[in-house]
Amino acid sequence: MSTKAKSDKSGTMKWWQLSLLGVACTIGTGYFLGSGIAISMGGGSVIIMFILAAFGTYIVFDVLARMTEADPQRGSFRAYAKKAFGRWAGFSSGWVYWSSELLIMGSQLTALSLFTRFWFPTIPMWIFATVYALIGLGVILLGTKAFERTEHIFAIIKVSAIVMFLLIAGAAVLGFITGGAHQPRFRAAQETFLPAGLMGAWSSFIYAFYAFGGIEIMGLMAARLKRPEEAPKAGNVMILLLTTLYIASLILALTLIPLNAIQGNESPFQVALGSYNLPFVPHAFNAILIIAGFSTMVASLFAVTTILITLAQDHDAPLIFARTTTGKRRMPLFAIGFTSGGITVTVLLALLLPDELFEYVTTAAGIMLLLNWLFILLSSGRLLQLTKWGKFKRYLGMVLILTAITGTIFHETSRPGFWISLLFVGIIGLLTLGMRIKWNKNDHEASYNAMKLPKPKPDNREGAT
């Protein structure tokens, strides 16, 4: 089966639906919980980091949307990497992304378990991780349309959650709600804005980028747009909405509570609301955090299944993963089963490393995700006719991404995640090298066979000499 978008059911989605889907796939524990890690490392400077990450995200999605507009492909960024640099690039890009989304699922499952323990502190985390993984698989088995509808509902809930926080926090800052443990005040002194200096801000950059992870799923779904040329509009609206909500909520959270009240394993927004005696609000917000994390976990599950199918269709993964069931609802059970095995590993990790897993896996997932974004920017340099301003933005995006990745080396919280991602990249690199040798051998044999001349057939006619 071709990976060309036209071969799939496409042309059914409007731009605002894609934008809403992008919001659903992006807002999750990467923001609600990962921002707490960023604040504990970088202090108030995370606001600047989030603005820079938003601009970097815009640069990446802009070129991805333009490539989608020019040549819609079901494999999206993986297909463009292959077109730009060859089969090795499509293979490695696809597997780097598959690995990153698998790590993201582990991160989300761990965060979901942490949030659920707010109500059930004595139950082991791995039980929650198992339950959420099974429910997520159930959503995927319902099909693409059910996934889209579910994510649209989740998007509305998650935006409403942030708006609810903004309204309550704003009321507390203005004095309409009293009784908090701390006097609302934005602390702009150096010891709170840069508590660990520039190095701390640099190390927190990866978590700001991680909060915007999800634009690649928009790339995978953009081929379903009625008008592919509207993909940039969908992305720009989504990124602008997210940036506004993120920055406003971060400023209010840092106004309501001091830095020493924020721990890496807690949501700063939950801590901020928890300092006020508001009946049911902490419980309601915790429920919304679970919905947000579950939504992005399901989106990651959908993404890894989709990319695995396109890899199999291009013979970059075993062909069995491209097989679907017969009947009206054609389900890729083999691909889902393989991904389920990866989820099982993450559940076991949640059992073995209940406290440290989130920071390590979140960092590794963020790095792998940014490596895929780097592939997108590199591919755009070959596939698009960029203006001077476009070329400058492309290089600036690369610098921002590399800055975020290298910053993880200099902090004890993020450093283990850097080594985990390096291990994944090393394994994928060795696999790519092995596959290139195999491809070259097959190409050589094909060329050799093509050069062989067929033997002349004997002439059995009478009188033939």
PDB file of all heavy atoms in Angstrom, residues 38-50 52 186-205 254 258-260 411:
ATOM      1  N   ALA A  38      10.566  22.114  35.333  1.00  0.00           N
ATOM      2  CA  ALA A  38      11.232  23.268  34.733  1.00  0.00           C
ATOM      3  C   ALA A  38      11.380  24.406  35.737  1.00  0.00           C
ATOM      4  O   ALA A  38      12.440  25.040  35.831  1.00  0.00           O
ATOM      5  CB  ALA A  38      10.449  23.737  33.506  1.00  0.00           C
ATOM      6  N   ILE A  39      10.330  24.674  36.498  1.00  0.00           N
ATOM      7  CA  ILE A  39      10.378  25.765  37.481  1.00  0.00           C
ATOM      8  C   ILE A  39      11.385  25.453  38.582  1.00  0.00           C
ATOM      9  O   ILE A  39      12.139  26.329  39.015  1.00  0.00           O
ATOM     10  CB  ILE A  39       8.977  26.017  38.071  1.00  0.00           C
ATOM     11  CG1 ILE A  39       8.040  26.585  37.004  1.00  0.00           C
ATOM     12  CG2 ILE A  39       9.050  26.971  39.258  1.00  0.00           C
ATOM     13  CD1 ILE A  39       6.597  26.699  37.446  1.00  0.00           C
ATOM     14  N   SER A  40      11.408  24.203  39.058  1.00  0.00           N
ATOM     15  CA  SER A  40      12.351  23.837  40.114  1.00  0.00           C
ATOM     16  C   SER A  40      13.799  23.957  39.640  1.00  0.00           C
ATOM     17  O   SER A  40      14.702  24.168  40.453  1.00  0.00           O
ATOM     18  CB  SER A  40      12.077  22.414  40.586  1.00  0.00           C
ATOM     19  OG  SER A  40      12.316  21.478  39.556  1.00  0.00           O
ATOM     20  N   MET A  41      14.032  23.855  38.334  1.00  0.00           N
ATOM     21  CA  MET A  41      15.386  23.960  37.797  1.00  0.00           C
ATOM     22  C   MET A  41      15.732  25.385  37.388  1.00  0.00           C
ATOM     23  O   MET A  41      16.843  25.867  37.647  1.00  0.00           O
ATOM     24  CB  MET A  41      15.533  23.036  36.580  1.00  0.00           C
ATOM     25  CG  MET A  41      15.430  21.558  36.907  1.00  0.00           C
ATOM     26  SD  MET A  41      15.269  20.500  35.434  1.00  0.00           S
ATOM     27  CE  MET A  41      16.840  20.794  34.647  1.00  0.00           C
ATOM     28  N   GLY A  42      14.796  26.071  36.719  1.00  0.00           N
ATOM     29  CA  GLY A  42      15.092  27.376  36.144  1.00  0.00           C
ATOM     30  C   GLY A  42      14.422  28.554  36.794  1.00  0.00           C
ATOM     31  O   GLY A  42      14.687  29.704  36.406  1.00  0.00           O
ATOM     32  N   GLY A  43      13.524  28.320  37.771  1.00  0.00           N
ATOM     33  CA  GLY A  43      12.845  29.428  38.420  1.00  0.00           C
ATOM     34  C   GLY A  43      11.928  30.182  37.464  1.00  0.00           C
ATOM     35  O   GLY A  43      11.374  29.615  36.521  1.00  0.00           O
ATOM     36  N   GLY A  44      11.789  31.468  37.706  1.00  0.00           N
ATOM     37  CA  GLY A  44      10.917  32.298  36.881  1.00  0.00           C
ATOM     38  C   GLY A  44      11.375  32.442  35.445  1.00  0.00           C
ATOM     39  O   GLY A  44      10.589  32.847  34.579  1.00  0.00           O
ATOM     40  N   SER A  45      12.624  32.093  35.162  1.00  0.00           N
ATOM     41  CA  SER A  45      13.140  32.211  33.783  1.00  0.00           C
ATOM     42  C   SER A  45      12.448  31.259  32.825  1.00  0.00           C
ATOM     43  O   SER A  45      12.601  31.383  31.602  1.00  0.00           O
ATOM     44  CB  SER A  45      14.644  31.951  33.761  1.00  0.00           C
ATOM     45  OG  SER A  45      14.944  30.617  34.140  1.00  0.00           O
ATOM     46  N   VAL A  46      11.672  30.288  33.361  1.00  0.00           N
ATOM     47  CA  VAL A  46      10.977  29.355  32.469  1.00  0.00           C
ATOM     48  C   VAL A  46       9.984  30.084  31.573  1.00  0.00           C
ATOM     49  O   VAL A  46       9.636  29.580  30.496  1.00  0.00           O
ATOM     50  CB  VAL A  46      10.252  28.255  33.268  1.00  0.00           C
ATOM     51  CG1 VAL A  46      11.227  27.413  34.042  1.00  0.00           C
ATOM     52  CG2 VAL A  46       9.181  28.833  34.172  1.00  0.00           C
ATOM     53  N   ILE A  47       9.536  31.257  32.003  1.00  0.00           N
ATOM     54  CA  ILE A  47       8.614  32.024  31.161  1.00  0.00           C
ATOM     55  C   ILE A  47       9.294  32.379  29.838  1.00  0.00           C
ATOM     56  O   ILE A  47       8.720  32.230  28.748  1.00  0.00           O
ATOM     57  CB  ILE A  47       8.146  33.292  31.893  1.00  0.00           C
ATOM     58  CG1 ILE A  47       7.306  32.902  33.120  1.00  0.00           C
ATOM     59  CG2 ILE A  47       7.337  34.196  30.969  1.00  0.00           C
ATOM     60  CD1 ILE A  47       6.941  34.059  34.004  1.00  0.00           C
ATOM     61  N   ILE A  48      10.537  32.833  29.924  1.00  0.00           N
ATOM     62  CA  ILE A  48      11.297  33.143  28.709  1.00  0.00           C
ATOM     63  C   ILE A  48      11.565  31.874  27.903  1.00  0.00           C
ATOM     64  O   ILE A  48      11.479  31.858  26.670  1.00  0.00           O
ATOM     65  CB  ILE A  48      12.623  33.835  29.069  1.00  0.00           C
ATOM     66  CG1 ILE A  48      12.341  35.174  29.751  1.00  0.00           C
ATOM     67  CG2 ILE A  48      13.489  34.039  27.833  1.00  0.00           C
ATOM     68  CD1 ILE A  48      13.577  35.882  30.249  1.00  0.00           C
ATOM     69  N   MET A  49      11.871  30.774  28.613  1.00  0.00           N
ATOM     70  CA  MET A  49      12.129  29.501  27.929  1.00  0.00           C
ATOM     71  C   MET A  49      10.894  29.041  27.155  1.00  0.00           C
ATOM     72  O   MET A  49      11.009  28.523  26.042  1.00  0.00           O
ATOM     73  CB  MET A  49      12.544  28.435  28.939  1.00  0.00           C
ATOM     74  CG  MET A  49      13.854  28.700  29.664  1.00  0.00           C
ATOM     75  SD  MET A  49      15.290  28.763  28.548  1.00  0.00           S
ATOM     76  CE  MET A  49      15.579  30.536  28.463  1.00  0.00           C
ATOM     77  N   PHE A  50       9.715  29.226  27.744  1.00  0.00           N
ATOM     78  CA  PHE A  50       8.481  28.821  27.070  1.00  0.00           C
ATOM     79  C   PHE A  50       8.223  29.680  25.825  1.00  0.00           C
ATOM     80  O   PHE A  50       7.730  29.175  24.812  1.00  0.00           O
ATOM     81  CB  PHE A  50       7.295  28.901  28.034  1.00  0.00           C
ATOM     82  CG  PHE A  50       7.016  27.604  28.742  1.00  0.00           C
ATOM     83  CD1 PHE A  50       7.766  27.225  29.843  1.00  0.00           C
ATOM     84  CD2 PHE A  50       6.020  26.758  28.303  1.00  0.00           C
ATOM     85  CE1 PHE A  50       7.524  26.028  30.499  1.00  0.00           C
ATOM     86  CE2 PHE A  50       5.762  25.552  28.949  1.00  0.00           C
ATOM     87  CZ  PHE A  50       6.521  25.184  30.048  1.00  0.00           C
ATOM     88  N   LEU A  52      10.563  31.102  23.953  1.00  0.00           N
ATOM     89  CA  LEU A  52      11.521  30.638  22.945  1.00  0.00           C
ATOM     90  C   LEU A  52      11.091  29.285  22.374  1.00  0.00           C
ATOM     91  O   LEU A  52      11.205  29.043  21.163  1.00  0.00           O
ATOM     92  CB  LEU A  52      12.918  30.531  23.566  1.00  0.00           C
ATOM     93  CG  LEU A  52      13.602  31.846  23.945  1.00  0.00           C
ATOM     94  CD1 LEU A  52      14.919  31.566  24.657  1.00  0.00           C
ATOM     95  CD2 LEU A  52      13.845  32.706  22.702  1.00  0.00           C
ATOM     96  N   PHE A 186       4.425  38.445  42.379  1.00  0.00           N
ATOM     97  CA  PHE A 186       5.372  37.897  41.410  1.00  0.00           C
ATOM     98  C   PHE A 186       6.780  38.297  41.835  1.00  0.00           C
ATOM     99  O   PHE A 186       7.104  39.476  41.925  1.00  0.00           O
ATOM    100  CB  PHE A 186       5.087  38.416  39.998  1.00  0.00           C
ATOM    101  CG  PHE A 186       5.939  37.756  38.942  1.00  0.00           C
ATOM    102  CD1 PHE A 186       5.609  36.498  38.463  1.00  0.00           C
ATOM    103  CD2 PHE A 186       7.073  38.376  38.451  1.00  0.00           C
ATOM    104  CE1 PHE A 186       6.393  35.872  37.501  1.00  0.00           C
ATOM    105  CE2 PHE A 186       7.866  37.758  37.491  1.00  0.00           C
ATOM    106  CZ  PHE A 186       7.519  36.509  37.012  1.00  0.00           C
ATOM    107  N   ARG A 187       7.596  37.321  42.096  1.00  0.00           N
ATOM    108  CA  ARG A 187       8.938  37.550  42.629  1.00  0.00           C
ATOM    109  C   ARG A 187       9.932  37.624  41.484  1.00  0.00           C
ATOM    110  O   ARG A 187      10.334  36.595  40.932  1.00  0.00           O
ATOM    111  CB  ARG A 187       9.280  36.435  43.622  1.00  0.00           C
ATOM    112  CG  ARG A 187       8.302  36.394  44.803  1.00  0.00           C
ATOM    113  CD  ARG A 187       8.209  35.015  45.422  1.00  0.00           C
ATOM    114  NE  ARG A 187       7.221  34.996  46.513  1.00  0.00           N
ATOM    115  CZ  ARG A 187       5.931  34.777  46.342  1.00  0.00           C
ATOM    116  NH1 ARG A 187       5.458  34.555  45.136  1.00  0.00           N
ATOM    117  NH2 ARG A 187       5.097  34.781  47.368  1.00  0.00           N
ATOM    118  N   ALA A 188      10.351  38.852  41.141  1.00  0.00           N
ATOM    119  CA  ALA A 188      11.212  39.064  39.983  1.00  0.00           C
ATOM    120  C   ALA A 188      12.675  39.243  40.354  1.00  0.00           C
ATOM    121  O   ALA A 188      13.491  39.611  39.507  1.00  0.00           O
ATOM    122  CB  ALA A 188      10.730  40.295  39.201  1.00  0.00           C
ATOM    123  N   ALA A 189      13.034  39.001  41.613  1.00  0.00           N
ATOM    124  CA  ALA A 189      14.428  39.136  42.017  1.00  0.00           C
ATOM    125  C   ALA A 189      15.269  38.032  41.375  1.00  0.00           C
ATOM    126  O   ALA A 189      14.763  36.987  40.961  1.00  0.00           O
ATOM    127  CB  ALA A 189      14.538  39.066  43.539  1.00  0.00           C
ATOM    128  N   GLN A 190      16.567  38.255  41.306  1.00  0.00           N
ATOM    129  CA  GLN A 190      17.454  37.306  40.636  1.00  0.00           C
ATOM    130  C   GLN A 190      17.418  35.935  41.294  1.00  0.00           C
ATOM    131  O   GLN A 190      17.464  34.907  40.618  1.00  0.00           O
ATOM    132  CB  GLN A 190      18.894  37.832  40.622  1.00  0.00           C
ATOM    133  CG  GLN A 190      19.866  36.902  39.890  1.00  0.00           C
ATOM    134  CD  GLN A 190      21.262  37.480  39.793  1.00  0.00           C
ATOM    135  OE1 GLN A 190      21.483  38.645  40.089  1.00  0.00           O
ATOM    136  NE2 GLN A 190      22.203  36.656  39.368  1.00  0.00           N
ATOM    137  N   GLU A 191      17.303  35.892  42.623  1.00  0.00           N
ATOM    138  CA  GLU A 191      17.320  34.601  43.317  1.00  0.00           C
ATOM    139  C   GLU A 191      16.075  33.775  43.035  1.00  0.00           C
ATOM    140  O   GLU A 191      16.058  32.566  43.256  1.00  0.00           O
ATOM    141  CB  GLU A 191      17.479  34.799  44.822  1.00  0.00           C
ATOM    142  CG  GLU A 191      16.391  35.619  45.489  1.00  0.00           C
ATOM    143  CD  GLU A 191      16.730  37.102  45.537  1.00  0.00           C
ATOM    144  OE1 GLU A 191      17.613  37.535  44.754  1.00  0.00           O
ATOM    145  OE2 GLU A 191      16.130  37.820  46.345  1.00  0.00           O
ATOM    146  N   THR A 192      15.007  34.394  42.542  1.00  0.00           N
ATOM    147  CA  THR A 192      13.811  33.641  42.175  1.00  0.00           C
ATOM    148  C   THR A 192      13.664  33.519  40.660  1.00  0.00           C
ATOM    149  O   THR A 192      13.099  32.545  40.177  1.00  0.00           O
ATOM    150  CB  THR A 192      12.555  34.324  42.739  1.00  0.00           C
ATOM    151  OG1 THR A 192      12.508  35.691  42.295  1.00  0.00           O
ATOM    152  CG2 THR A 192      12.542  34.266  44.245  1.00  0.00           C
ATOM    153  N   PHE A 193      14.173  34.492  39.917  1.00  0.00           N
ATOM    154  CA  PHE A 193      14.083  34.429  38.460  1.00  0.00           C
ATOM    155  C   PHE A 193      15.153  33.509  37.892  1.00  0.00           C
ATOM    156  O   PHE A 193      14.906  32.767  36.934  1.00  0.00           O
ATOM    157  CB  PHE A 193      14.218  35.834  37.859  1.00  0.00           C
ATOM    158  CG  PHE A 193      13.775  35.911  36.429  1.00  0.00           C
ATOM    159  CD1 PHE A 193      12.425  35.903  36.114  1.00  0.00           C
ATOM    160  CD2 PHE A 193      14.699  35.982  35.408  1.00  0.00           C
ATOM    161  CE1 PHE A 193      12.006  35.959  34.789  1.00  0.00           C
ATOM    162  CE2 PHE A 193      14.289  36.050  34.082  1.00  0.00           C
ATOM    163  CZ  PHE A 193      12.942  36.037  33.775  1.00  0.00           C
ATOM    164  N   LEU A 194      16.345  33.532  38.490  1.00  0.00           N
ATOM    165  CA  LEU A 194      17.442  32.659  38.077  1.00  0.00           C
ATOM    166  C   LEU A 194      18.073  32.026  39.321  1.00  0.00           C
ATOM    167  O   LEU A 194      19.204  32.325  39.679  1.00  0.00           O
ATOM    168  CB  LEU A 194      18.500  33.443  37.281  1.00  0.00           C
ATOM    169  CG  LEU A 194      18.139  33.900  35.865  1.00  0.00           C
ATOM    170  CD1 LEU A 194      19.183  34.880  35.336  1.00  0.00           C
ATOM    171  CD2 LEU A 194      18.019  32.696  34.927  1.00  0.00           C
ATOM    172  N   PRO A 195      17.346  31.137  39.981  1.00  0.00           N
ATOM    173  CA  PRO A 195      17.871  30.569  41.231  1.00  0.00           C
ATOM    174  C   PRO A 195      19.139  29.744  41.041  1.00  0.00           C
ATOM    175  O   PRO A 195      19.959  29.640  41.941  1.00  0.00           O
ATOM    176  CB  PRO A 195      16.714  29.695  41.729  1.00  0.00           C
ATOM    177  CG  PRO A 195      15.926  29.381  40.504  1.00  0.00           C
ATOM    178  CD  PRO A 195      16.034  30.593  39.641  1.00  0.00           C
ATOM    179  N   ALA A 196      19.293  29.139  39.872  1.00  0.00           N
ATOM    180  CA  ALA A 196      20.498  28.343  39.582  1.00  0.00           C
ATOM    181  C   ALA A 196      21.324  28.975  38.475  1.00  0.00           C
ATOM    182  O   ALA A 196      22.136  28.295  37.842  1.00  0.00           O
ATOM    183  CB  ALA A 196      20.095  26.920  39.205  1.00  0.00           C
ATOM    184  N   GLY A 197      21.114  30.276  38.246  1.00  0.00           N
ATOM    185  CA  GLY A 197      21.859  30.971  37.213  1.00  0.00           C
ATOM    186  C   GLY A 197      21.406  30.587  35.812  1.00  0.00           C
ATOM    187  O   GLY A 197      20.384  29.932  35.616  1.00  0.00           O
ATOM    188  N   LEU A 198      22.191  31.011  34.835  1.00  0.00           N
ATOM    189  CA  LEU A 198      21.869  30.723  33.442  1.00  0.00           C
ATOM    190  C   LEU A 198      21.902  29.228  33.149  1.00  0.00           C
ATOM    191  O   LEU A 198      21.177  28.738  32.279  1.00  0.00           O
ATOM    192  CB  LEU A 198      22.849  31.461  32.518  1.00  0.00           C
ATOM    193  CG  LEU A 198      22.727  32.992  32.508  1.00  0.00           C
ATOM    194  CD1 LEU A 198      23.824  33.609  31.647  1.00  0.00           C
ATOM    195  CD2 LEU A 198      21.354  33.424  31.992  1.00  0.00           C
ATOM    196  N   MET A 199      22.739  28.488  33.874  1.00  0.00           N
ATOM    197  CA  MET A 199      22.829  27.049  33.657  1.00  0.00           C
ATOM    198  C   MET A 199      21.511  26.359  34.002  1.00  0.00           C
ATOM    199  O   MET A 199      21.067  25.439  33.306  1.00  0.00           O
ATOM    200  CB  MET A 199      23.962  26.454  34.487  1.00  0.00           C
ATOM    201  CG  MET A 199      24.387  25.060  34.049  1.00  0.00           C
ATOM    202  SD  MET A 199      25.126  25.043  32.397  1.00  0.00           S
ATOM    203  CE  MET A 199      26.704  25.833  32.750  1.00  0.00           C
ATOM    204  N   GLY A 200      20.855  26.808  35.066  1.00  0.00           N
ATOM    205  CA  GLY A 200      19.568  26.237  35.439  1.00  0.00           C
ATOM    206  C   GLY A 200      18.500  26.529  34.398  1.00  0.00           C
ATOM    207  O   GLY A 200      17.684  25.666  34.062  1.00  0.00           O
ATOM    208  N   ALA A 201      18.516  27.771  33.883  1.00  0.00           N
ATOM    209  CA  ALA A 201      17.552  28.137  32.837  1.00  0.00           C
ATOM    210  C   ALA A 201      17.789  27.302  31.580  1.00  0.00           C
ATOM    211  O   ALA A 201      16.838  26.828  30.940  1.00  0.00           O
ATOM    212  CB  ALA A 201      17.673  29.628  32.523  1.00  0.00           C
ATOM    213  N   TRP A 202      19.069  27.121  31.235  1.00  0.00           N
ATOM    214  CA  TRP A 202      19.431  26.326  30.063  1.00  0.00           C
ATOM    215  C   TRP A 202      18.928  24.886  30.218  1.00  0.00           C
ATOM    216  O   TRP A 202      18.359  24.305  29.287  1.00  0.00           O
ATOM    217  CB  TRP A 202      20.948  26.372  29.894  1.00  0.00           C
ATOM    218  CG  TRP A 202      21.483  25.696  28.661  1.00  0.00           C
ATOM    219  CD1 TRP A 202      20.768  25.200  27.608  1.00  0.00           C
ATOM    220  CD2 TRP A 202      22.867  25.461  28.350  1.00  0.00           C
ATOM    221  NE1 TRP A 202      21.602  24.657  26.670  1.00  0.00           N
ATOM    222  CE2 TRP A 202      22.897  24.799  27.091  1.00  0.00           C
ATOM    223  CE3 TRP A 202      24.064  25.735  29.013  1.00  0.00           C
ATOM    224  CZ2 TRP A 202      24.102  24.420  26.489  1.00  0.00           C
ATOM    225  CZ3 TRP A 202      25.257  25.355  28.414  1.00  0.00           C
ATOM    226  CH2 TRP A 202      25.278  24.715  27.164  1.00  0.00           C
ATOM    227  N   SER A 203      19.119  24.318  31.394  1.00  0.00           N
ATOM    228  CA  SER A 203      18.702  22.934  31.631  1.00  0.00           C
ATOM    229  C   SER A 203      17.187  22.774  31.600  1.00  0.00           C
ATOM    230  O   SER A 203      16.672  21.699  31.264  1.00  0.00           O
ATOM    231  CB  SER A 203      19.247  22.450  32.979  1.00  0.00           C
ATOM    232  OG  SER A 203      20.664  22.485  33.002  1.00  0.00           O
ATOM    233  N   SER A 204      16.455  23.824  31.951  1.00  0.00           N
ATOM    234  CA  SER A 204      14.991  23.734  31.975  1.00  0.00           C
ATOM    235  C   SER A 204      14.376  23.874  30.587  1.00  0.00           C
ATOM    236  O   SER A 204      13.181  23.603  30.406  1.00  0.00           O
ATOM    237  CB  SER A 204      14.418  24.827  32.885  1.00  0.00           C
ATOM    238  OG  SER A 204      14.590  26.114  32.308  1.00  0.00           O
ATOM    239  N   PHE A 205      15.173  24.266  29.602  1.00  0.00           N
ATOM    240  CA  PHE A 205      14.669  24.556  28.256  1.00  0.00           C
ATOM    241  C   PHE A 205      13.994  23.335  27.639  1.00  0.00           C
ATOM    242  O   PHE A 205      12.983  23.443  26.941  1.00  0.00           O
ATOM    243  CB  PHE A 205      15.828  25.037  27.374  1.00  0.00           C
ATOM    244  CG  PHE A 205      15.407  25.764  26.133  1.00  0.00           C
ATOM    245  CD1 PHE A 205      14.099  26.168  25.932  1.00  0.00           C
ATOM    246  CD2 PHE A 205      16.333  26.063  25.155  1.00  0.00           C
ATOM    247  CE1 PHE A 205      13.721  26.848  24.796  1.00  0.00           C
ATOM    248  CE2 PHE A 205      15.980  26.740  24.004  1.00  0.00           C
ATOM    249  CZ  PHE A 205      14.667  27.125  23.817  1.00  0.00           C
ATOM    250  N   LEU A 254       3.376  31.357  39.477  1.00  0.00           N
ATOM    251  CA  LEU A 254       4.553  31.907  40.144  1.00  0.00           C
ATOM    252  C   LEU A 254       4.206  33.105  41.019  1.00  0.00           C
ATOM    253  O   LEU A 254       4.977  33.486  41.898  1.00  0.00           O
ATOM    254  CB  LEU A 254       5.600  32.314  39.099  1.00  0.00           C
ATOM    255  CG  LEU A 254       6.274  31.139  38.375  1.00  0.00           C
ATOM    256  CD1 LEU A 254       7.077  31.640  37.178  1.00  0.00           C
ATOM    257  CD2 LEU A 254       7.178  30.373  39.337  1.00  0.00           C
ATOM    258  N   PRO A 258       5.593  30.636  46.208  1.00  0.00           N
ATOM    259  CA  PRO A 258       7.044  30.824  46.041  1.00  0.00           C
ATOM    260  C   PRO A 258       7.683  29.591  45.400  1.00  0.00           C
ATOM    261  O   PRO A 258       7.093  28.512  45.357  1.00  0.00           O
ATOM    262  CB  PRO A 258       7.543  31.025  47.473  1.00  0.00           C
ATOM    263  CG  PRO A 258       6.542  30.292  48.310  1.00  0.00           C
ATOM    264  CD  PRO A 258       5.218  30.438  47.617  1.00  0.00           C
ATOM    265  N   LEU A 259       8.920  29.759  44.941  1.00  0.00           N
ATOM    266  CA  LEU A 259       9.604  28.663  44.252  1.00  0.00           C
ATOM    267  C   LEU A 259       9.782  27.448  45.145  1.00  0.00           C
ATOM    268  O   LEU A 259       9.672  26.309  44.678  1.00  0.00           O
ATOM    269  CB  LEU A 259      10.982  29.139  43.757  1.00  0.00           C
ATOM    270  CG  LEU A 259      10.995  30.065  42.541  1.00  0.00           C
ATOM    271  CD1 LEU A 259      12.432  30.432  42.186  1.00  0.00           C
ATOM    272  CD2 LEU A 259      10.310  29.405  41.354  1.00  0.00           C
ATOM    273  N   ASN A 260      10.080  27.659  46.419  1.00  0.00           N
ATOM    274  CA  ASN A 260      10.360  26.514  47.295  1.00  0.00           C
ATOM    275  C   ASN A 260       9.118  25.672  47.584  1.00  0.00           C
ATOM    276  O   ASN A 260       9.211  24.599  48.170  1.00  0.00           O
ATOM    277  CB  ASN A 260      10.988  26.980  48.616  1.00  0.00           C
ATOM    278  CG  ASN A 260      10.120  27.996  49.338  1.00  0.00           C
ATOM    279  OD1 ASN A 260       8.936  28.151  49.060  1.00  0.00           O
ATOM    280  ND2 ASN A 260      10.718  28.713  50.277  1.00  0.00           N
ATOM    281  N   HIS A 411      22.553  19.141  34.250  1.00  0.00           N
ATOM    282  CA  HIS A 411      21.754  19.098  35.476  1.00  0.00           C
ATOM    283  C   HIS A 411      21.546  17.653  35.884  1.00  0.00           C
ATOM    284  O   HIS A 411      21.272  16.784  35.041  1.00  0.00           O
ATOM    285  CB  HIS A 411      20.405  19.792  35.269  1.00  0.00           C
ATOM    286  CG  HIS A 411      19.715  20.159  36.545  1.00  0.00           C
ATOM    287  ND1 HIS A 411      19.030  19.244  37.306  1.00  0.00           N
ATOM    288  CD2 HIS A 411      19.612  21.353  37.199  1.00  0.00           C
ATOM    289  CE1 HIS A 411      18.522  19.848  38.365  1.00  0.00           C
ATOM    290  NE2 HIS A 411      18.855  21.110  38.335  1.00  0.00           N
TER     291      HIS A 411
END
